[in-house]
Amino acid sequence: MKIAQVTPLYEAVPPKLYGGTERVVAHLTDALVDLGHEVTLFASADARTRARLIPVRDQAIRLDPRPLKSDLAAHMTLLATVLDHAGEFDLIHFHTDMIHFPFFARHAGRTVTTLHGRLDLTDLAPVYARWSDFALVSISDDQRRPMPFANWQATVHHGMPAELYEFSPRSEGYLAFLGRISPEKRPDRAIQIATALDRPLKIAAKVDAADTVYWETVIQPMIADNPLVEFVGEISDGQKSAFLGGAEALLFPIDWPEPFGLVMIEAMACGTPVVAFRCGSTPEIIADGLTGFLVDTMDEAIAAAGRAHRLDRAQIRAQFERRFSATAMARRYLDVYANMLARRPFAETLIESPAPTARLRPRLADTIAQRGLRPTPPAGLPEPAADLHFG
């Protein structure tokens, strides 16, 4: 199958430091290539991928040191470039929220859009009601709750390459917080949990400009006055195995409807249990009592963090490999793609493109026979059914 992956331009693919959506797109793209598909990635030029890369900006926006930048202009160029090449693909997979809807309104049936963010913002519902022809994929069932009317095709949980994370059979005795310093991520709760247990806490997180006041007035004073807490700052993928693998537990004390939470499966990949507040996607990701603990109160969180060392780290890693590997994610998306292609009329024309080589799409049966919508993977790869939910 010929597939286009279209990513936001805020971070490199994969990100050099913090970043969720672009990291998922990187791993999905490479996994699809490994499964035998022809994949083209539209991203910034600093992307690292096994797919064909069509660069649309010289570098990702966030770490670009130039002071004057236009996010909107960059993404308009991205979408125009995708449209120029659209006739080359069987299917275009967008990860750009809803910004592509007006550009591709005539071709919605040839696209899949994964929504990576929260959906309870005031202005979102009218957009998804107006452009209801676009097929949507959620990253958790909970993410859908604000918009049950939307054109949902499936829920596909994120996945990561198993080889990227080293399993750690034992911890070094500290608790960990990894992510972003912001009120909804509740690093203040993590500090309180560690303090109550008299346990060291390492915080690896970025501070966005929008959260500077929260950092300076709430979190920084809590760290300065607490010898148990070490602020590490942002870390790269290459540093995560040591950071997460050395932790007795990852604290995930969120206070918002988290659509997924990549850090939870990153911790699981290292064999580290997760103590998560029951909010957003966490009940779908954490197997309570197996890969971590779900809690509702601070007292429960303190107690859970205190007994997290009793969980079997090898079983936690095994659960990650079964449910959250990049290959498992890619195979689930291939099921979504196949369902989309199966609905099209035979001999359907490709998306109109400025290129003069427009051609007719072959019959779907020929496409399946010649290219293979689901190539047979090597023995031992996980089955996709457990975390793929259609409709």
Side-chain angles (χ1 to χ4, degrees):
M1 194 190 310
K2 293 184 177 180
I3 307 161
Q5 295 290 335
V6 185
T7 180
L9 298 173
Y10 296 109
E11 304 287 348
V13 180
K16 297 176 181 178
L17 295 170
Y18 182 88
T21 300
E22 294 88 349
R23 179 166 282 108
V24 171
V25 175
H27 300 325
L28 171 61
T29 298
D30 285 350
L32 288 170
V33 171
D34 291 345
L35 288 171
H37 297 277
E38 298 179 46
V39 186
T40 299
L41 174 66
F42 292 84
S44 55
D46 48 0
R48 291 179 288 110
T49 180
R50 292 196 281 274
R52 169 197 181 201
L53 174 65
I54 295 183
V56 292
R57 196 177 192 276
D58 61 341
Q59 59 185 298
I61 293 170
R62 183 171 76 92
L63 298 182
D64 182 346
R66 292 170 291 193
L68 301 178
K69 299 170 282 191
S70 171
D71 298 6
L72 179 59
H75 285 91
M76 287 181 68
T77 300
L78 167 69
L79 297 179
T81 305
V82 176
L83 195 57
D84 287 344
H85 290 269
E88 302 171 14
F89 309 113
D90 297 309
L91 189 137
I92 304 173
H93 189 167
F94 288 99
H95 302 266
T96 50
D97 290 331
M98 80 294 282
I99 193 173
H100 56 283
F101 287 178
F103 278 78
F104 288 83
R106 293 175 56 195
H107 314 298
R110 305 174 187 275
T111 71
V112 171
T113 300
T114 295
L115 300 182
H116 291 264
R118 66 187 300 174
L119 300 178
D120 56 350
L121 280 64
T122 300
D123 300 299
L124 290 186
V127 170
Y128 290 99
R130 176 168 183 170
W131 282 281
S132 59
D133 289 341
F134 283 88
L136 306 177
V137 173
S138 51
I139 58 177
S140 66
D141 291 337
D142 184 82
Q143 184 194 28
R144 300 184 182 193
R145 287 195 301 131
M147 297 197 311
F149 62 86
N151 187 16
W152 299 113
Q153 301 300 304
T155 290
V156 179
H157 289 154
H158 289 333
M160 310 291 280
E163 66 273 14
L164 192 61
Y165 300 91
E166 184 178 347
F167 170 67
S168 178
R170 61 186 61 83
S171 79
E172 297 174 13
Y174 60 86
L175 301 174
F177 177 96
L178 174 61
R180 177 165 51 89
I181 299 294
S182 64
E184 66 271 16
K185 297 287 189 177
R186 296 303 299 267
D188 58 314
R189 282 178 170 173
I191 295 170
Q192 291 166 2
I193 293 167
T195 302
L197 291 168
D198 195 29
R199 200 74 55 84
L201 171 68
K202 294 185 179 184
I203 298 177
K206 73 166 183 171
V207 183
D208 283 334
D211 298 310
T212 300
V213 172
Y214 176 69
W215 162 251
E216 292 177 347
T217 61
V218 178
I219 301 303
Q220 198 170 33
M222 293 180 73
I223 293 174
D225 295 337
N226 195 328
L228 291 170
V229 183
E230 176 187 355
F231 182 71
V232 177
E234 277 193 81
I235 61 175
S236 66
D237 275 352
Q239 298 170 290
K240 286 181 180 178
S241 284
F243 179 80
L244 291 170
E248 194 165 279
L250 172 76
L251 302 182
F252 197 68
I254 59 169
D255 193 16
W256 74 298
E258 177 80 59
F260 188 82
L262 273 178
V263 66
M264 290 188 286
I265 66 171
E266 290 176 322
M268 290 166 58
C270 299
T272 300
V274 181
V275 176
F277 273 67
R278 198 185 310 271
C279 192
S281 66
T282 61
E284 299 175 45
I285 311 304
I286 302 303
D288 194 25
L290 179 62
T291 60
F293 297 107
L294 295 167
V295 301
D296 297 294
T297 68
M298 282 295 291
D299 286 343
E300 290 179 1
I302 293 167
R307 66 179 187 276
H309 65 279
R310 301 175 187 170
L311 296 180
D312 186 333
R313 295 174 74 96
Q315 282 295 320
I316 294 171
R317 169 72 182 203
Q319 285 293 309
F320 163 80
E321 292 178 351
R322 186 180 71 83
R323 298 183 57 200
F324 299 116
S325 72
T327 302
M329 171 179 63
R331 291 181 64 184
R332 292 164 195 144
Y333 271 117
L334 287 171
D335 284 340
V336 176
Y337 301 161
N339 277 356
M340 292 291 298
L341 293 178
R343 298 174 190 172
R344 297 182 187 167
F346 290 155
E348 186 180 16
T349 58
L350 286 170
I351 299 175
E352 295 172 7
S353 169
T357 57
R359 59 182 174 81
L360 291 180
R361 177 178 303 280
R363 292 179 69 253
L364 180 61
D366 295 334
T367 298
I368 293 173
Q370 294 171 9
R371 300 178 192 159
L373 292 180
R374 284 246 340 242
T376 302
L381 289 180
E383 288 301 320
D387 295 281
L388 173 68
H389 315 292
F390 283 103

